[in-house]
Amino acid sequence: ALDAGAAATIAVYAAAFEAASDFDLRGLRSALSEINLMTVYGRVRFGADGANADARGVLAQVRNGVLTSVAPEQWARARPALRMPAAAR
Protein backbone atom coordinates (compact mmCIF):
# COMPACT_ATOMS: atom_id res chain seq x y z
CA ALA A 1 0.00 0.00 0.00
CA LEU A 2 2.88 2.36 0.65
CA ASP A 3 4.18 1.96 -2.91
CA ALA A 4 0.69 2.58 -4.35
CA GLY A 5 0.34 5.70 -2.20
CA ALA A 6 3.69 7.00 -3.43
CA ALA A 7 2.72 6.32 -7.05
CA ALA A 8 -0.60 8.11 -6.52
CA THR A 9 1.19 11.11 -5.00
CA ILE A 10 3.49 11.37 -8.01
CA ALA A 11 0.52 11.10 -10.40
CA VAL A 12 -1.38 13.84 -8.54
CA TYR A 13 1.61 16.21 -8.52
CA ALA A 14 2.36 15.50 -12.18
CA ALA A 15 -1.26 16.33 -13.10
CA ALA A 16 -1.14 19.51 -10.99
CA PHE A 17 2.16 20.67 -12.52
CA GLU A 18 0.77 19.99 -15.99
CA ALA A 19 -2.43 21.94 -15.24
CA ALA A 20 -0.57 24.83 -13.60
CA SER A 21 2.11 24.91 -16.34
CA ASP A 22 4.66 26.47 -13.97
CA PHE A 23 5.91 26.26 -10.39
CA ASP A 24 3.96 29.24 -9.04
CA LEU A 25 2.61 28.22 -5.60
CA ARG A 26 -0.82 29.80 -6.14
CA GLY A 27 -1.21 28.15 -9.53
CA LEU A 28 -0.21 24.78 -8.10
CA ARG A 29 -2.63 25.11 -5.19
CA SER A 30 -5.40 26.02 -7.58
CA ALA A 31 -4.57 23.07 -9.83
CA LEU A 32 -4.47 20.70 -6.84
CA SER A 33 -7.86 21.94 -5.62
CA GLU A 34 -9.36 20.95 -8.98
CA ILE A 35 -7.76 17.49 -9.21
CA ASN A 36 -10.17 14.62 -9.81
CA LEU A 37 -7.92 11.72 -10.75
CA MET A 38 -8.20 7.94 -10.61
CA THR A 39 -4.88 6.51 -9.45
CA VAL A 40 -3.58 3.05 -8.56
CA TYR A 41 -4.46 3.94 -4.95
CA GLY A 42 -8.01 5.05 -5.77
CA ARG A 43 -9.69 8.33 -6.69
CA VAL A 44 -8.05 11.54 -5.53
CA ARG A 45 -10.04 14.75 -5.28
CA PHE A 46 -9.73 17.42 -2.64
CA GLY A 47 -12.63 18.90 -0.68
CA ALA A 48 -13.01 22.45 0.58
CA ASP A 49 -11.00 21.52 3.67
CA GLY A 50 -8.04 20.44 1.52
CA ALA A 51 -8.32 16.76 2.45
CA ASN A 52 -8.74 13.98 -0.11
CA ALA A 53 -12.52 13.54 -0.12
CA ASP A 54 -12.21 9.93 -1.34
CA ALA A 55 -9.40 8.78 0.96
CA ARG A 56 -10.01 5.54 2.77
CA GLY A 57 -7.80 4.60 5.65
CA VAL A 58 -6.38 1.16 6.28
CA LEU A 59 -5.28 0.07 9.73
CA ALA A 60 -2.29 -2.26 9.79
CA GLN A 61 -0.31 -4.05 12.45
CA VAL A 62 3.10 -5.69 12.28
CA ARG A 63 2.62 -9.42 12.80
CA ASN A 64 5.74 -11.57 12.97
CA GLY A 65 7.63 -8.86 11.09
CA VAL A 66 5.01 -8.56 8.33
CA LEU A 67 2.78 -5.50 7.85
CA THR A 68 -0.78 -6.94 7.90
CA SER A 69 -4.01 -5.03 7.22
CA VAL A 70 -6.60 -5.47 10.00
CA ALA A 71 -9.30 -2.91 9.11
CA PRO A 72 -11.59 -2.08 7.42
CA GLU A 73 -13.02 -5.56 7.16
CA GLN A 74 -13.10 -5.71 3.34
CA TRP A 75 -9.29 -5.28 3.20
CA ALA A 76 -8.38 -7.05 6.44
CA ARG A 77 -6.02 -10.02 6.20
CA ALA A 78 -6.35 -10.69 9.95
CA ARG A 79 -8.38 -9.61 12.96
CA PRO A 80 -6.85 -6.77 15.02
CA ALA A 81 -4.69 -7.92 17.91
CA LEU A 82 -5.69 -5.78 20.87
CA ARG A 83 -3.10 -5.81 23.62
CA MET A 84 -3.89 -4.62 27.10
CA PRO A 85 -1.21 -3.10 29.28
CA ALA A 86 -0.27 -5.36 32.20
CA ALA A 87 -1.67 -2.80 34.65
CA ALA A 88 -5.11 -2.99 32.99
CA ARG A 89 -5.42 -6.80 33.22
Side-chain angles (χ1 to χ4, degrees):
L2 297 176
D3 291 337
T9 300
I10 292 167
V12 168
Y13 277 111
F17 282 123
E18 191 173 305
S21 71
D22 64 27
F23 292 96
D24 173 66
L25 184 58
R26 289 177 199 216
L28 284 171
R29 282 188 175 198
S30 177
L32 281 169
S33 73
E34 296 175 18
I35 289 286
N36 186 346
L37 184 67
M38 181 54 77
T39 71
V40 296
Y41 199 65
R43 180 154 308 280
V44 175
R45 65 184 174 89
F46 298 103
D49 63 355
N52 182 357
D54 293 316
R56 302 292 176 257
V58 175
L59 179 63
Q61 295 178 327
V62 176
R63 304 278 186 86
N64 297 319
V66 177
L67 190 62
T68 306
S69 58
V70 295
E73 208 170 300
Q74 73 255 33
W75 294 314
R77 301 255 188 254
R79 293 189 55 150
L82 305 174
R83 298 185 183 174
M84 300 206 44
R89 289 185 219 156

